[in-house]
Amino acid sequence: MNEGLGSALGLYAQYEQIRAMKNANGTGQKELLETVQTPAPNAMQTTVNPAEALKQKMGQGLQIGTGTLFAVVGGVSLLYWLSRRK
């Protein structure tokens, strides 16, 4: 296991050295400028409706707030009950 991890780290170090050399002499920037990137033909792009995202966040906040309120009221009730018990 240790040997495998050492080998993997060695390969990663070599990769980083090559990348640093490309960036140092400008080859990396040249490759970046010359590389043509096209989107996948079957990629489905969905847009997030801001109102829907806000509605979900508000619902989560309401659940957390309600749970907190019940916990506080329950705790205060328990303490009151314990203080009045003889």
Side-chain angles (χ1 to χ4, degrees), residues 40-73:
N42 294 331
M44 291 184 58
Q45 295 181 355
T46 59
T47 57
V48 177
N49 184 357
E52 186 66 32
L54 182 62
K55 192 186 306 182
Q56 288 179 355
K57 286 182 182 179
M58 287 176 61
Q60 290 172 350
L62 184 61
Q63 287 177 344
I64 292 171
T66 304
T68 304
L69 178 67
F70 281 134
V72 169
V73 169

Side-chain angles (χ1 to χ4, degrees), residues 1 3-4 8 20-21 23 26-27 29-31 33 37 43 47 49 54 58 61-62 65 68 72 75-77 85:
M1 185 71 170
E3 198 172 306
M21 285 183 353
N23 287 338
T27 307
Q29 293 296 323
K30 184 179 175 189
E31 284 181 4
L33 293 174
Q37 296 179 0
T47 57
N49 184 357
L54 182 62
M58 287 176 61
L62 184 61
T68 304
V72 169
V76 169
S77 300
R85 192 172 161 203

